[in-house]
Amino acid sequence: MARHGGGRGWYGKVVGAALGVTVLAAGAAMWTAQAGAVGGSAPKATASATPGGAVKPVEVSIVHASDTGARGVNITIDDGPDPVWTPQVLDVLREYGVKATFCMVGTQAQAHPDLVKKVVAAGHRLCDHSVSHDTTMDKQSRAYQSQQILDAERMITKASGGVRPMYYRAPGGAFTPYSRTLAASRGMRPLGWNVDTKDFERPGTNAIVATVERELPNGPTLLFHDAGGDRSQTVEALRLLLPRLKDQGYSFGFPVR
């Protein structure tokens, strides 16, 4: 998500709980601490997201482009999964045959593994959005960034039943060269956005739709949210936008890797 109000965001209250779970998870035999950054020595993760498997590095640059070409649109959904809103978002996406990229917060994925599995089963892609959605990530130490990225990777992968996130989106866009390199070394392409719908501020369904229509020429990756509060406006905006964009000749895809 975009930086809303600064600070560590509404997930900051659960950092302590998340770290406690991380310590417990480190003892699980099936997970091995093995992740490192390309071009430098990275602090080891508390646990690796891939049990016993190799990871193919990807590009470190922040991606925006769609794999469906010049008329492609990438729907990205941040901050969930949420037991109220994620199922409604999934219903709308299914209704219009659209696939999306879900940027999940580690603690949310851990709390709702059934929803993570539903997202995967529906053909959507997963994205690592850190453990606790700290929008000051770019001000924190490398060790902290490593913990946030790699532990979230593990949480999401475990919740999904073994499907790894394909992207990393820094909370509030707070990327650093280190975090991008670390994520890319783990096979997660850093993911940006072109259109911030501002749905997090609940400006009204019509305002969200108007923002997309006005700013879509800026690029194909649209930012929505399925957690962090009442997301009814987001659901309704998607219900209006998806068929409208299809009628205008747009196709829906995933960010390139």
Side-chain angles (χ1 to χ4, degrees):
M1 62 176 272
R3 290 182 194 262
H4 296 290
R8 300 200 175 202
W10 64 281
Y11 290 103
K13 296 179 181 178
V14 296
V15 174
L19 294 178
V21 173
T22 292
V23 172
L24 293 174
M30 68 180 292
W31 304 102
T32 58
Q34 62 184 11
V38 172
S41 61
K44 289 185 177 180
T46 303
S48 167
T50 306
V55 176
K56 183 179 178 180
V58 294
E59 290 290 328
V60 302
S61 59
I62 298 173
V63 66
H64 300 87
S66 176
D67 63 5
T68 56
R71 296 288 287 178
V73 172
N74 303 323
I75 302 295
T76 65
I77 314 290
D78 281 21
D79 294 2
D82 179 271
V84 174
W85 304 110
T86 302
Q88 295 186 44
V89 170
L90 287 172
D91 286 346
V92 175
L93 294 171
R94 181 175 60 251
E95 180 179 353
Y96 294 104
V98 172
K99 304 304 180 186
T101 301
F102 283 77
C103 300
M104 295 185 174
V105 171
T107 51
Q108 293 295 105
Q110 184 173 251
H112 307 290
D114 56 325
L115 293 177
V116 182
K117 292 179 176 68
K118 285 182 179 179
V119 167
V120 171
H124 306 292
R125 288 185 179 178
L126 301 177
C127 171
D128 179 332
H129 202 32
S130 81
V131 170
S132 56
H133 202 280
D134 184 351
T135 59
T136 69
M137 284 273 285
D138 54 342
K139 306 294 193 300
Q140 305 302 326
S141 69
R142 286 187 172 192
Y144 179 85
Q145 293 176 56
S146 178
Q147 176 267 319
Q148 285 283 310
I149 295 168
L150 298 175
D151 281 2
E153 180 193 13
R154 175 190 57 78
M155 290 174 176
I156 294 166
T157 302
K158 185 174 182 180
S160 73
V163 178
R164 300 183 62 257
M166 300 177 71
Y167 309 92
Y168 167 66
R169 174 173 277 167
F175 288 101
T176 66
Y178 176 79
S179 68
R180 289 191 294 108
T181 300
L182 177 59
S185 77
R186 297 293 303 156
M188 298 183 291
R189 182 75 185 266
L191 176 59
W193 64 83
N194 304 106
V195 180
D196 182 356
T197 65
K198 306 292 186 183
D199 64 333
F200 193 85
E201 299 173 0
R202 297 199 291 272
T205 298
N206 291 337
I208 296 169
V209 171
T211 296
V212 172
E213 294 180 330
R214 181 179 66 252
E215 298 186 12
L216 187 54
N218 295 336
T221 301
L222 313 184
L223 171 61
F224 297 92
H225 298 84
D226 63 343
D230 186 335
R231 300 275 76 90
S232 57
Q233 293 177 10
T234 300
V235 173
E236 292 310 308
L238 287 168
R239 198 181 305 280
L240 293 173
L241 279 166
L242 299 183
R244 189 175 302 182
L245 291 175
K246 281 191 172 184
D247 288 345
Q248 294 172 5
Y250 289 98
S251 58
F252 296 92
F254 297 111
V256 299
R257 281 172 38 88

